[in-house]
Amino acid sequence: MESISPIECLRNTDLFAGVDDSVLGRIVPDVEELELEANTLVFHKGDDADAVYLIVKGNPILESGGIQLITRGPGECVGEFALIDEGRRSATVRAQTDVLLLTWDRSCFHRALTDNPDVAQGLFRVLTAKLREDIRIQVDFALEKERWRQDLQRAREIQTGMLPEADFCTEKLQVSGFCRPAVEVGGDYYDYISRSDEKLGIIICDVTGHGFYSSLFVAMAKSCLHTLAEIGNTPDSVMLSMRNTLSLSIQRRLLMSCCYALIDPVRGTLLYANAGHPFPYHYCASTGSLERLGALDPILGALEPNSSHYQYSEASWAPGDLLVLYTDGITEERDSNGKQFGHERLEKLILEHANHTSAGLKQIILDSVADHVGDMAQRDDMTLVVAKAISVGDR
């Protein structure tokens, strides 16, 4: 066993420190050398426990679920817990470097514990040290988890601050919006930009997924939109700029549905561009009809980066008209039976309550979604924006 005697190798381990040489001499015949190259598996999580491994040289590493948990070094041992409770391996152990181990099989391990109080005492010392280490790791993990929770809370506060502070209202137009992420931070975004020519731009976006990267792009989208507030004359130019902003993060394979509407209450027009977003609804007060403003282009991120053309369409905008924009978190919320809230229910609410203010209709829709979901947890980010052309009776 290299230049070190077998007894010396055992004595240098935490398990046998202080054990009499005569006892070590009886144990030496029961242990076998095992040399492994780096990245070689020692045992796998879930394996039967057939031996404990004493580390003479090198560094085995404990893994679980592909995550590296802790590294062990010379003098330490791995695999003793499963031998004690006669269970299965609780983690995977792999040689991080070339290692030299001493294997001590189950039967010899149990016999030594029974026959030699000093060995049992050594095992108790090892287990106590590992228990203390485990407590320290758990405390460190709890502290890190709390720091992460606080960071996410701050991120949520920052993201919430990116949304409009209040509803928008003039003599000719009122807009009310709502956004609630499914987790701490999300990928939904809405905003409205009041221009000096009395036009109002309204945008709603849904970045794929929710979480850190989605919320980061939401911040980029807001910056892009406000930069274009006075420059972008038509919805297609805004959509192109959004696509170009998204291309900065395309290595993350982010996709974003987006709808941008430009309302001109003076001319009585509604211009809109829709890139793969759930179709908004336009309620025409003069006819009492509800129109779906379908997608005119694919979802942003699906087109080639050199694509430079987006479409937009025009509709009339008159007193009493409504524009309802939403993300799929509204229509796809499910009840306890798995049934979605659905578009038909949303359409019915708009038609039945078209006489309400934008804030009133928004709340009616949200309350209906909440009643439908009941006690079920929110599955996706939810965003809803309602715009209404003010008529004389609404003032």
Side-chain angles (χ1 to χ4, degrees):
M1 199 175 294
E2 295 187 332
S3 59
I4 307 177
S5 69
I7 289 181
E8 188 67 20
C9 286
L10 292 177
R11 188 186 297 116
N12 288 338
T13 64
D14 296 337
L15 181 60
F16 292 113
V19 176
D20 189 86
D21 284 357
S22 61
V23 175
L24 297 180
R26 294 194 297 272
I27 293 175
V28 166
D30 294 333
V31 298
E32 297 182 5
E33 291 186 43
L34 177 63
E35 292 189 77
L36 298 175
E37 295 181 351
N39 296 320
T40 303
L41 187 72
V42 180
F43 55 76
H44 196 277
K45 181 178 179 179
D47 287 350
D48 288 330
D50 56 354
V52 63
Y53 296 83
L54 309 172
I55 306 169
V56 177
K57 182 180 70 175
N59 298 104
I61 189 166
L62 280 70
E63 305 173 347
S64 183
I67 300 175
Q68 296 184 356
L69 302 177
I70 196 167
T71 301
R72 297 297 184 194
E76 297 183 286
C77 59
V78 292
E80 73 279 6
F81 287 110
L83 289 186
I84 294 171
D85 64 11
E86 299 186 356
R88 294 182 177 274
R89 301 296 190 187
S90 58
T92 295
V93 174
R94 189 181 306 277
Q96 186 178 41
T97 63
D98 293 348
V99 297
L100 174 61
L101 307 173
L102 300 179
T103 65
W104 195 22
D105 70 29
R106 178 194 294 272
S107 59
C108 296
F109 174 80
H110 282 287
R111 184 174 64 248
L113 291 181
T114 302
D115 296 342
N116 302 283
D118 288 346
V119 176
Q121 183 66 28
L123 178 62
F124 178 76
R125 184 173 58 252
V126 168
L127 294 179
T128 300
K130 288 189 175 181
L131 178 60
R132 291 182 183 278
E133 180 183 48
D134 183 59
I135 292 174
R136 177 187 59 78
I137 291 173
Q138 290 189 47
V139 169
D140 290 345
F141 176 76
L143 291 173
E144 183 62 27
K145 185 177 180 180
E146 175 60 20
R147 284 192 291 268
W148 178 243
R149 188 197 66 78
Q150 292 178 5
D151 286 344
L152 284 177
Q153 179 61 33
R154 284 189 286 268
R156 180 165 188 157
E157 292 170 356
I158 292 172
Q159 187 175 31
T160 301
M162 294 179 186
L163 301 175
E165 294 183 0
D167 292 347
F168 177 85
C169 188
T170 67
E171 291 184 352
K172 298 177 180 178
L173 186 65
Q174 55 182 213
V175 185
S176 184
F178 168 86
C179 181
R180 183 174 65 201
V183 293
E184 284 83 356
V185 289
D188 279 10
Y189 168 66
Y190 81 93
D191 208 345
Y192 29 84
I193 302 294
S194 178
R195 297 177 19 159
S196 58
D197 56 8
E198 295 190 57
K199 296 177 183 178
L200 181 75
I202 303 176
I203 195 168
I204 187 167
C205 306
D206 185 357
V207 184
T208 50
H210 33 254
F212 175 77
Y213 288 106
S214 297
S215 65
L216 181 61
F217 183 74
V218 165
M220 297 168 64
K222 181 179 179 68
S223 176
C224 172
L225 178 66
H226 282 258
T227 300
L228 290 168
E230 294 293 338
I231 300 175
N233 294 317
T234 55
D236 59 321
S237 62
V238 173
M239 201 64 68
L240 178 60
S241 296
M242 283 293 177
R243 199 291 313 278
N244 292 338
T245 301
L246 181 65
S247 68
L248 298 175
S249 301
I250 205 66
Q251 65 272 20
R252 300 295 311 180
R253 293 195 176 95
L254 289 177
L255 299 174
M256 182 180 76
S257 68
C258 182
C259 183
Y260 179 77
L262 185 62
I263 298 175
D264 186 343
V266 177
R267 291 183 58 241
T269 59
L270 166 64
L271 305 182
Y272 69 92
N274 187 345
H277 195 78
F279 44 80
Y281 288 103
H282 175 215
Y283 171 77
C284 181
S286 63
T287 62
S289 61
L290 194 62
E291 179 187 3
R292 295 180 173 187
L293 307 183
L296 303 174
D297 287 290
I299 190 171
L300 299 181
L303 291 174
E304 292 298 321
N306 59 2
S307 175
S308 60
H309 179 69
Y310 283 88
Q311 303 178 69
Y312 71 95
S313 188
E314 181 175 336
S316 62
W317 183 256
D321 282 9
L322 290 165
L323 177 65
V324 179
L325 307 100
Y326 57 93
T327 57
D328 54 16
I330 295 290
T331 53
E332 295 181 2
E333 278 294 273
R334 299 176 183 269
D335 61 15
S336 57
N337 296 318
K339 185 177 180 180
Q340 292 186 351
F341 182 76
H343 291 94
E344 290 185 5
R345 199 186 308 261
L346 178 58
E347 292 171 4
K348 183 179 180 181
L349 288 172
I350 296 172
L351 289 170
E352 290 181 350
H353 302 282
N355 61 325
H356 281 69
T357 63
S358 60
L361 178 57
K362 178 196 71 175
Q363 195 58 51
I364 288 171
I365 294 172
L366 293 175
D367 289 345
S368 183
V369 173
D371 289 342
H372 175 76
V373 173
D375 295 332
M376 299 295 291
Q378 182 179 334
R379 299 163 57 92
D380 196 3
D381 303 335
M382 295 175 56
T383 301
L384 176 66
V385 181
V386 179
K388 185 170 188 176
I390 303 298
S391 62
V392 176
D394 293 323
R395 293 178 185 175

